[in-house]
Amino acid sequence: MGNMEQVFETSFQEMTWNGPVIFMHWVMDERKQEVKHITPNVQRIFGYEPEEMISGSIPLLSIIFEEDRQKFQIIMKQRIAYKSPFWESTYRIYSKDGDIRFIKSYTYIKQDQAGNETSIFSYLFDQTEIQNELNMHISLEHRWATAIDSAREGVWDWDLQSNEVYFSKHWKKMLGYEEHELPNEFSEWRKRIHPQDISKVDLEIKEHLQNKTELFESEHRLLHADGTYRWILDRGKAVKRDKRGNAKRMIGTHVDITERKEIENLLHKRNEELERLVEEVKELSITDHLTTLFNRRKMVDEIKEAQRRFKVHGQPFTLAILDLDHFKNINDRYGHTFGDIALQTFANLLKAQIREPNIVARWGGEEFIILFHNSNGQETKNQLLSLQDCCHDDLLKYRMDSVRLSFSAGVYEYTSLQSRESILKHADQALYLAKSLGRKQIILYKEGLPIG
């Protein structure tokens, strides 16, 4: 990783942990709203300990202000149903000391491949101070006007009978035109919609005109006077309908969200990078760095799962512990670097010869372990004998010399409920006997074997 990437990653983590933005990963379905991860700065900003949120002792919905709770749930379900990957919203929550805090959030949704669980990633901004300042200094009407002006919202008023549309000064300026340069006609807007967005926008308008939606809302691209496309958030409502419910007049606003879209795209890329890093870290945590086989930790988990399947479905399995014969002599004669090459060579042989769903791992040192699914002891022994035959003189060479690899193995067949410790002990007993008989032996465990 380059120095710049390290600086960025460190800075990003510091900002996430100590900055004003809370990052939360949670899931939501009909049965639960569960917080998976939340950054520690939630305690500094809202007073809640991260463990309280993750454990569920403080339910997520319970901290949302009552008047906003239903709206929050409705919007969330709609976004999940419509598969909207990104959106922003504002609502109020209770801090731990009971104060009401105003929140602005940016949310990204991802569903697993099976569609069973919906993962939600949210960035939360505390805007309480801004909200309080507005409440103190300006009236509701003035605040609304100021918000529109500061956001450079453009207003439109569409007469569906004449098909004329009034476009405000800000609306035209948003697209790079002076007020007199665009006629107030519906076609002036529609012909500027990006070709890839036109069918979606037409459908969204049609559904609102037919009274199928309470509001018209659309995100699409409009052609700017400079030849570029700007992302626009277009919201509107039919304010006049005839007796049959047909829309006669619509009023709405345009907001330039190009910068937000660029941030969303950046966040999307960052989320993909984070997901990739998480997968890489997960892979590293279960992989032996020298041989790239699974490690001891992964094998322990696989044994637990095999025991579970035996208990539930009666699926048998066997466990074999392999030990390279006289490996110390290889290290002493050729050096530890060549010893590592010998381990890697044997690991590659195991990868080539042991097929899925069987699991191969490095157990430690020169010991390897194999979990054979749906296999009895004799079948496993036969496979290991075939593997032994593959350890020929051409497998490993030091300069012009052939270095002979062979192994001893202890095999245990799991036929009754036992602890993981017992399984490993029995396989190890069989291995001990194999080595004591002169090595290059494969011994199937039976009751009464000596304990190594």
Side-chain angles (χ1 to χ4, degrees):
M1 181 181 292
N3 185 55
M4 182 59 70
E5 291 177 332
Q6 290 179 339
V7 171
F8 177 82
E9 183 174 324
T10 301
S11 301
F12 181 77
Q13 182 173 348
E14 287 293 328
M15 291 178 65
T16 305
W17 255 240
N18 303 310
V21 181
I22 296 170
F23 176 70
M24 180 172 66
H25 171 205
W26 53 294
V27 296
M28 175 177 178
D29 57 29
E30 295 295 333
R31 298 174 288 103
K32 65 180 179 180
Q33 297 83 35
E34 179 183 357
V35 177
K36 295 281 191 179
H37 305 92
I38 192 165
T39 47
N41 57 351
V42 67
Q43 194 277 333
R44 175 172 52 82
I45 298 174
F46 296 133
Y48 298 106
E49 295 290 341
E51 293 76 14
E52 294 178 310
M53 304 296 295
I54 295 172
S55 67
S57 61
I58 298 180
L60 180 61
L61 291 179
S62 70
I63 71 172
I64 298 177
F65 190 64
E66 290 86 350
E67 294 180 11
D68 297 344
R69 194 174 299 162
Q70 184 177 9
K71 177 184 175 183
F72 175 89
Q73 290 178 286
I74 291 173
I75 292 176
M76 184 66 63
K77 290 178 180 179
Q78 288 176 342
R79 294 296 183 172
I80 293 173
Y82 294 149
K83 300 184 183 302
S84 302
F86 286 100
W87 78 91
E88 61 181 81
S89 57
T90 56
Y91 49 90
R92 292 163 289 180
I93 71 166
Y94 290 108
S95 63
K96 192 167 184 178
D97 60 10
D99 286 345
I100 296 175
R101 313 294 291 179
F102 290 83
I103 299 300
K104 188 175 186 68
S105 67
Y106 294 88
T107 300
Y108 161 64
I109 285 185
K110 181 176 182 180
Q111 287 187 317
D112 63 18
Q113 294 181 349
N116 297 323
E117 182 175 82
T118 300
S119 288
I120 307 172
F121 302 87
S122 296
Y123 292 84
L124 309 179
F125 299 79
D126 185 359
Q127 293 195 322
T128 305
E129 292 184 6
I130 297 174
Q131 190 69 37
N132 289 341
E133 185 176 345
L134 287 173
N135 290 337
M136 289 172 58
H137 293 93
I138 57 177
S139 66
L140 177 62
E141 183 176 346
H142 186 207
R143 182 169 74 249
W144 171 247
T146 302
I148 289 179
D149 186 59
S150 63
R152 295 177 297 170
E153 291 195 13
V155 177
W156 52 268
D157 188 341
W158 181 18
D159 185 333
L160 279 84
Q161 292 178 299
S162 65
N163 215 28
E164 291 184 352
V165 185
Y166 164 75
F167 301 116
S168 70
K169 178 180 178 180
H170 284 299
W171 193 99
K172 296 176 182 180
K173 189 175 182 180
M174 196 179 298
L175 298 180
Y177 295 96
E178 296 297 328
E179 192 170 7
H180 65 278
E181 292 182 310
L182 283 182
N184 291 328
E185 297 175 1
F186 179 80
S187 60
E188 292 296 327
W189 165 66
R190 194 177 186 280
K191 71 182 182 182
R192 287 175 170 77
I193 300 176
H194 194 285
Q196 294 179 1
D197 298 338
I198 188 67
S199 60
K200 177 178 76 74
V201 177
D202 283 345
L203 177 62
E204 291 165 339
I205 292 178
K206 180 180 178 181
E207 288 182 340
H208 184 65
L209 294 180
Q210 293 177 350
N211 219 4
K212 293 181 179 179
T213 58
E214 183 179 354
L215 295 171
F216 162 69
E217 182 173 325
S218 175
E219 292 183 4
H220 54 266
R221 290 161 286 184
L222 287 183
L223 184 63
H224 193 275
D226 63 8
T228 64
Y229 278 94
R230 307 292 294 177
W231 274 100
I232 301 297
L233 173 59
D234 192 357
R235 291 190 179 116
K237 182 178 178 63
V239 296
K240 184 179 180 182
R241 294 182 181 272
D242 60 21
K243 294 181 179 180
R244 297 180 179 179
N246 298 315
K248 310 294 286 184
R249 181 186 176 194
M250 281 185 67
I251 295 177
T253 61
H254 272 191
V255 179
D256 188 333
I257 58 171
T258 305
E259 184 176 350
R260 193 200 81 192
K261 280 290 186 179
E262 291 172 350
I263 293 174
E264 287 177 355
N265 290 333
L266 178 61
L267 287 174
H268 183 67
K269 291 179 181 178
R270 291 291 179 265
N271 281 328
E272 288 182 338
E273 292 172 2
L274 286 173
E275 290 172 4
R276 177 179 56 80
L277 288 173
V278 167
E279 288 302 316
E280 289 179 0
V281 170
K282 180 179 177 181
E283 185 67 24
L284 288 172
S285 71
I286 61 173
T287 303
D288 175 64
H289 73 279
L290 177 63
T291 63
T292 70
L293 294 173
F294 288 131
N295 60 16
R296 191 184 192 99
R297 174 184 176 183
K298 172 65 174 175
M299 179 55 75
V300 168
D301 289 340
E302 290 293 332
I303 294 173
K304 290 178 182 177
E305 176 60 19
Q307 289 177 288
R308 186 195 67 81
R309 285 197 296 266
F310 178 86
K311 182 178 181 179
V312 176
H313 305 293
Q315 294 182 4
F317 67 91
T318 57
L319 197 71
I321 301 179
L322 286 61
D323 185 273
L324 288 179
D325 295 330
H326 307 296
F327 184 73
K328 183 177 182 301
N329 294 340
I330 295 177
N331 275 336
D332 292 343
R333 182 173 181 179
Y334 302 109
H336 289 278
T337 299
F338 185 77
D340 288 345
I341 294 174
L343 292 172
Q344 292 169 337
T345 301
F346 188 68
N348 291 334
L349 177 64
L350 292 175
K351 292 176 190 176
Q353 297 298 319
I354 306 301
R355 303 299 183 185
E356 293 183 349
N358 303 319
I359 305 295
V360 183
R362 184 184 179 194
W363 194 237
E366 64 270 28
E367 283 192 344
F368 298 81
I369 188 166
I370 308 174
L371 177 65
F372 291 91
H373 291 288
N374 296 312
S375 178
N376 61 37
Q378 188 58 49
E379 290 169 341
T380 295
K381 185 174 181 179
N382 292 338
Q383 290 190 63
L384 294 178
L385 287 171
S386 298
L387 179 65
Q388 194 74 273
D389 292 338
C390 295
C391 295
H392 48 72
D393 289 342
D394 294 329
L395 183 64
L396 182 64
K397 290 183 179 294
Y398 182 82
R399 296 177 182 172
M400 300 301 295
D401 295 339
S402 295
V403 180
R404 185 72 175 180
L405 284 180
S406 66
F407 64 88
S408 303
V411 178
Y412 178 72
E413 180 181 347
Y414 190 79
T415 57
S416 61
L417 296 178
Q418 295 182 48
S419 68
R420 184 179 73 256
E421 291 76 13
S422 295
I423 300 172
L424 293 170
K425 184 185 75 173
H426 294 330
D428 202 51
Q429 285 178 253
L431 174 61
Y432 172 77
L433 180 58
K435 291 193 291 185
S436 67
L437 292 175
R439 301 183 184 268
K440 200 179 178 182
Q441 302 287 325
I442 300 168
I443 300 297
L444 179 62
Y445 174 83
K446 295 180 181 179
E447 288 291 339
L449 286 182
I451 299 176

